[in-house]
Amino acid sequence: MRIVILSIALLLCSVYVSQAYEDTSLEDDDFAEFEQFEADEDTPSNDFIEEEVPVLKAKLNVNKEQFEINIDADDIVVEDEDNEFEHFQDPEEFEGYQDTMPRTAEQPKITISQVPIMIRPRWDAYWLEGILCCLLAAYALAYVIGRAKNTAIATNFLKLHKPLLDENFTLVGESGLDVVSADERGWRREAEHCFTMWCSGRQCCEGMLLTLKLIKRQDLVHVLLGVVRPTPDTLLIRVELGKDDCDPFVLCIAQKKIATRLAKEMQDLSMFCPERRAGDKHGLPAALGVLSECAEATAGVLDARVTAALQRYHAHVHFIHVSDRYCGPKQMEETVATKPPETERVMLVSLALGPDGGGDEVRPLLLLVFYLLDKIKRLRLSKEALSKCEKRRVKATEAWVRGAHAARQEQAAQRREEKRKQEKERILAEDDPEKQRRWELKEQKRQQKRKAPKMKQLKVKAL
């Protein structure tokens, strides 16, 4: 009996304990799936598959809610894109930075000035551009006026003196597109201030070239410089003499300053006419100087007619240069000529024209040039004067040959010295001391041989 009572008591306690530990959160529907399996054991498999999906979904929903409830709120991290620069507000990011910044009492103030708006342009602000435009306009106007004036001077000169040139030459001037007058022969325009004209077909010469060098009136700058230092218009006459048209002599009659300059610059005058004599010793004005190689040639050229013409028109004569060895200005010292310069027989005459570009003073001077051509053609030097002139030319040729030979030797010595320097640099660049020693011995022997006096050996035969 006691055993039955004890077993009943144990059963009641177990029931009570099971109810106490039962999960109240579970509902009756939580075990519906197990009841379904028990109720429908005999149902086919296809029906079981169709009901399996909603049961699983309900289970997943319950687990998701439990998962969201159990998550701690401190572990949640929310990313906000607007807080990209939030670290600038953190004081720990800038520890010690505030101490290094300079402290100013007050912030700088920016003052904005009120600038008035210019509605209409002010012309006084463009004064520099206005000056430049005026200068350009003045230069263009001076070019047009100066070119027209130079052309008018050349045309007037041709109109006044072409009849005289036609009387002495068969052909006067050239024809073409560059001439001043297209309808007839005349000047050839080389530049806006330079005109040339070739004349040929006369005895005592092979031809004559007239060069009219006028003031650069088309250039405003040159015109302004001409006010400070005026220069006249110039007519340069170059007469080509034939081989048999004159004897060999050099003569120059020029203004004193021009004569001094020509004696230094011209090759033939510096070589054959070293002395300059005053013009009054030959019956000429004191303003002229004479450079002559032969006194006999000077006396033969300067007769009474030439002297009278020079006394009257000496102010318009720059120089009269007659030479059979004319080769132009002296050669530069840096340049070494390999052959003797070509010489010509010429007569050069430079005339200064008047303010109107050649008036009444040009015709007598042109007549003087034609008279000198005939005079030089008829002039014959004596045998003694001719032999002296020939000896001077031979000496001049020999001096030129010696000078050219010395120049060639100097060039050869420079080439040899340069070659030795290159060889020395090449030997020193090598690391062979024996080769350097042999080269030094060879160089010493060469220097000793060069410094040794040259002696001539004489062989005496024994008796």
Side-chain angles (χ1 to χ4, degrees):
M1 188 68 178
R2 292 180 178 178
I3 296 173
V4 173
I5 295 170
L6 181 63
S7 60
I8 293 171
L10 291 175
L11 179 63
L12 293 174
C13 290
S14 61
V15 170
Y16 177 77
V17 171
S18 62
Q19 291 179 355
Y21 286 95
E22 184 180 1
D23 191 0
T24 59
S25 61
L26 297 176
E27 298 178 357
D28 296 336
D29 295 337
D30 292 339
F31 296 94
E33 55 181 345
F34 298 103
E35 295 176 358
Q36 185 71 21
F37 285 122
E38 292 176 359
D40 300 334
E41 287 180 357
D42 298 334
T43 58
S45 59
N46 294 335
D47 298 338
F48 173 76
I49 294 173
E50 291 178 358
E51 295 180 1
E52 182 180 2
V53 175
V55 172
L56 292 176
K57 288 184 178 180
K59 185 178 180 180
L60 291 174
N61 293 333
V62 172
N63 294 335
K64 181 177 180 181
E65 292 176 358
Q66 293 176 357
F67 177 77
E68 291 178 355
I69 293 172
N70 295 330
I71 290 177
D72 191 1
D74 295 336
D75 297 335
I76 297 174
V77 178
V78 180
E79 294 184 359
D80 190 359
E81 295 181 357
D82 297 336
N83 296 331
E84 183 179 357
F85 301 98
E86 187 179 0
H87 61 278
F88 286 113
Q89 306 298 331
D90 190 0
E92 295 181 358
E93 293 288 341
F94 301 96
E95 288 184 358
Y97 179 73
Q98 298 295 336
D99 299 337
T100 59
M101 290 293 293
R103 298 180 179 178
T104 57
E106 58 182 5
Q107 296 294 331
K109 297 181 180 180
I110 299 175
T111 304
I112 301 175
S113 59
Q114 299 295 332
V115 180
I117 300 175
M118 301 297 296
I119 300 176
R120 295 181 180 179
R122 297 176 57 186
W123 294 106
D124 56 351
Y126 300 96
W127 61 271
L128 182 59
E129 289 80 357
I131 293 174
L132 292 177
C133 292
C134 292
L135 290 177
L136 291 176
Y139 191 89
L141 185 62
Y143 177 83
V144 174
I145 296 175
R147 185 178 187 276
K149 188 173 182 180
N150 285 341
T151 305
I153 291 174
T155 305
N156 186 39
F157 184 95
L158 189 64
K159 186 183 299 183
L160 293 176
H161 306 294
K162 189 176 180 182
L164 178 61
L165 298 175
D166 291 334
E167 293 176 2
N168 289 272
F169 295 96
T170 303
L171 179 63
V172 177
E174 299 179 3
S175 60
L177 298 177
D178 296 335
V179 297
V180 176
S181 300
D183 55 345
E184 58 182 2
R185 295 178 179 272
W187 294 106
R188 180 184 180 89
R189 188 190 298 274
E190 301 294 339
E192 303 301 336
H193 65 284
C194 184
F195 303 86
T196 59
M197 183 168 54
W198 174 257
C199 304
S200 62
R202 188 186 189 278
Q203 294 181 352
C204 307
C205 69
E206 295 182 355
M208 183 176 70
L209 178 65
L210 299 176
T211 304
L212 188 62
K213 293 185 178 181
L214 304 177
I215 302 173
K216 295 181 180 179
R217 295 180 176 88
Q218 77 281 359
D219 189 358
L220 181 60
V221 178
H222 196 275
V223 171
L224 296 177
L225 293 177
V227 176
V228 181
R229 188 178 180 181
T231 55
D233 297 325
T234 305
L235 175 65
L236 180 62
I237 303 174
R238 177 188 175 97
V239 182
E240 302 287 343
L241 301 176
K243 184 178 180 180
D244 300 331
D245 289 339
C246 68
D247 285 344
F249 68 91
V250 179
L251 174 64
C252 182
I253 305 167
Q255 303 286 338
K256 286 186 177 181
K257 293 183 179 180
I258 299 177
T260 304
R261 178 173 58 85
L262 292 177
K264 295 179 180 180
E265 295 179 356
M266 294 299 173
Q267 182 73 24
D268 55 343
L269 293 178
S270 62
M271 185 175 294
F272 299 105
C273 305
E275 297 181 0
R276 180 173 62 86
R277 304 185 65 182
D280 52 1
K281 295 183 178 181
H282 298 276
L284 300 176
L288 299 178
V290 179
L291 297 171
S292 178
E293 177 189 5
C294 180
E296 185 177 344
T298 306
V301 172
L302 297 178
D303 56 2
R305 187 174 178 179
V306 175
T307 303
L310 291 177
Q311 286 179 353
R312 185 174 180 179
Y313 300 102
H314 69 277
H316 297 279
V317 177
H318 286 166
F319 62 85
I320 299 175
H321 184 189
V322 183
S323 175
D324 68 315
R325 293 284 179 171
Y326 179 78
C327 57
K330 287 184 178 180
Q331 297 179 356
M332 301 296 294
E333 296 180 357
E334 292 81 3
T335 59
V336 179
T338 58
K339 59 180 181 179
E342 297 180 359
T343 59
E344 299 175 321
R345 294 175 181 262
V346 297
M347 182 177 71
L348 302 176
V349 181
S350 179
L351 305 176
L353 305 180
D356 54 351
D360 297 336
E361 77 280 356
V362 178
R363 182 178 177 85
L365 293 174
L366 289 176
L367 292 174
L368 176 62
V369 171
F370 298 145
Y371 177 78
L372 287 175
L373 289 177
D374 298 334
K375 186 73 176 180
I376 292 171
K377 176 68 176 180
R378 297 191 301 267
L379 180 63
R380 290 292 179 268
L381 300 178
S382 61
K383 293 182 179 180
E384 183 179 359
L386 190 60
S387 63
K388 290 182 180 179
C389 293
E390 292 293 342
K391 288 180 181 179
R392 294 191 190 95
R393 279 146 183 77
V394 172
K395 290 182 180 179
T397 304
E398 292 176 354
W400 185 90
V401 171
R402 288 194 299 270
H405 181 66
R408 288 194 296 269
Q409 285 184 342
E410 184 178 357
Q411 288 181 349
Q414 291 179 356
R415 289 194 296 268
R416 289 194 297 270
E417 188 67 23
E418 187 67 23
K419 187 176 180 180
R420 290 194 194 96
K421 288 182 180 179
Q422 293 178 359
E423 185 179 0
K424 182 178 180 180
E425 292 177 357
R426 183 177 58 81
I427 294 297
L428 294 177
E430 297 180 359
D431 297 335
D432 190 356
E434 183 64 24
K435 186 178 292 186
Q436 295 178 2
R437 187 183 63 82
R438 289 198 301 267
W439 185 85
E440 290 178 358
L441 292 175
K442 181 180 178 181
E443 189 68 16
Q444 290 177 1
K445 290 181 181 180
R446 188 184 67 81
Q447 294 292 342
Q448 292 176 0
K449 184 178 180 181
R450 183 179 180 182
K451 294 180 180 179
K454 296 182 180 180
M455 301 180 65
K456 186 176 182 181
Q457 295 180 359
L458 297 176
K459 292 183 180 180
V460 180
K461 294 183 179 181
L463 296 176

